Amino acid sequence: MDKLVIEGGVPLHGEVKISGAKNAALPLMASALLAQGSHRFHNVPRLRDIRTMQILLKNMGAASEHDKVMEIDASRIGSPEAPYDLVKTMRASVLVLGPLVAKYGHARVSLPGGCAIGARPINLHLKGLEQMGADIALDHGYVIARARRLRGARITFDQVTVTGTENLMMAACLADGTTTLKNAAREPEVCALADYLCAMGARIEGAGTPTVTVTGVDELRPSSCTVIPDRIEAGTYLAAAGITGGSLRLTGCRPDHLEAVIQKLIEAGMSIRAEGDVIEAAANGRINSVNVKTQPFPAFPTDMQAQFMALMTLGSGVSLISEKIFENRFMHVLELRRLGADIDLDGRTAVVRGVKHLSGAPVMATDLRASASLVLGGLAAKGVTEVTRIYHLDRGYECIEKKLSAVGARIARVKE
Ligand code: EPZ
């Protein structure tokens, strides 16, 4: 396994090109199952999760090539199945469920099981498919879903679910009749998926609002699109500028996807200017301690909670960080403490008391965004920080050590 070795204390300065969004690319790849033929996706990031989705699709018979463009040919789907050994490494595999049932009338998808940040059930996905007429059975850890043809339904989500909205939106495209999804997720990745489904011939209205309406059609045709920029990667680099006392210019961004994060970073004392697809961010001396509560888009995203907490460890006072989406997304707290952070946990709220500086130490990544927060801590800490188990990081950050080195970080990937 690899680890990252970071010599901290260096302010970052320079330009970072933001990659395509993992959480936009994954549902787009799954949507290729809805239409036979060749789908082409531009700006797909080179990440571990993307490769996992490629393997999953290949296992079903959908070949894919990922050169400058990703091309997926879903003309010959054999076994509509997502096996446990793949699903357990990437929960987003569940996104093939809706398309397979809608297009092929049956699917056998492993239950994802728990993960580091929470139980993360898929009951809302399954309940929605049942409301659309699918027979759902659980068998030896697998979901067996069958439907001659899904029918439109009025579905209200008990709570906002991003992949639940995406799964049912895809399933509804080929259903008989109209489906209404209420309390739907409004994330940019959901809107990007809806745009692509419409390019394939689907009839969808209201994506990006709490109520999405899908009028089923008989067939979809393959198309192409460009993956939107990764708002969480961008937010992570903005936090890197803040925590190191530097200034970064991010290009290839969508600032409108990042407004809640930008607002909180400005409250934390940073200077941030957004124009077109560029965000310029600079630290301004001491960091203000501000409170954050994670909520669905357009509010502050849970995927930025760990990175923002790293910044708050150097705050001027006390920051209360409430994690309202996942029940166990504070695994990074124990590791940040090893870097000298002063953090107490009170249920789903972290009390972060700012310290003068962090000190380098060996730390261990536990999940994707926790590993990003440890890298940020290491960039600011005096001395050397080693981050192990960075396969978590490789799931969602393209060439992170190259991008950071290019703006002055003293960081290297070494074989453990
Ligand atoms: C998506 O996960 C993202 N993953 C996550 O990003 C992100 O943290 C999350 O949305 C929240 O924004 C992808 O898009 C691939 P949810 P998802 O369904 O869809 C509960 C990353 O770092 N819930 O919106 O799995 C669930 O337990 C990853 O890139 C149910 O109870 O999240 C959670 O508490 C991590 N039953 C809440 O809803 C369900 O059927 C929100 O989960 C579905 C969800």
PDB file of all heavy atoms in Angstrom, residues 280 319 352:
ATOM      1  N   GLU A 280     -10.513  32.395  -7.218  1.00  0.00           N
ATOM      2  CA  GLU A 280      -9.231  32.798  -6.621  1.00  0.00           C
ATOM      3  C   GLU A 280      -9.445  32.939  -5.124  1.00  0.00           C
ATOM      4  O   GLU A 280     -10.384  33.615  -4.684  1.00  0.00           O
ATOM      5  CB  GLU A 280      -8.746  34.109  -7.240  1.00  0.00           C
ATOM      6  CG  GLU A 280      -8.351  33.927  -8.692  1.00  0.00           C
ATOM      7  CD  GLU A 280      -7.817  35.211  -9.324  1.00  0.00           C
ATOM      8  OE1 GLU A 280      -8.250  36.283  -8.887  1.00  0.00           O
ATOM      9  OE2 GLU A 280      -6.970  35.109 -10.240  1.00  0.00           O
ATOM     10  N   SER A 319     -15.217  26.350  17.145  1.00  0.00           N
ATOM     11  CA  SER A 319     -16.125  26.089  16.018  1.00  0.00           C
ATOM     12  C   SER A 319     -16.971  24.860  16.320  1.00  0.00           C
ATOM     13  O   SER A 319     -16.440  23.835  16.749  1.00  0.00           O
ATOM     14  CB  SER A 319     -15.285  25.828  14.753  1.00  0.00           C
ATOM     15  OG  SER A 319     -16.046  25.156  13.778  1.00  0.00           O
ATOM     16  N   VAL A 352     -14.594  22.217  18.067  1.00  0.00           N
ATOM     17  CA  VAL A 352     -13.208  22.376  17.620  1.00  0.00           C
ATOM     18  C   VAL A 352     -12.637  23.659  18.220  1.00  0.00           C
ATOM     19  O   VAL A 352     -13.091  24.766  17.887  1.00  0.00           O
ATOM     20  CB  VAL A 352     -13.130  22.432  16.080  1.00  0.00           C
ATOM     21  CG1 VAL A 352     -11.660  22.457  15.619  1.00  0.00           C
ATOM     22  CG2 VAL A 352     -13.867  21.255  15.447  1.00  0.00           C
TER      23      VAL A 352
END
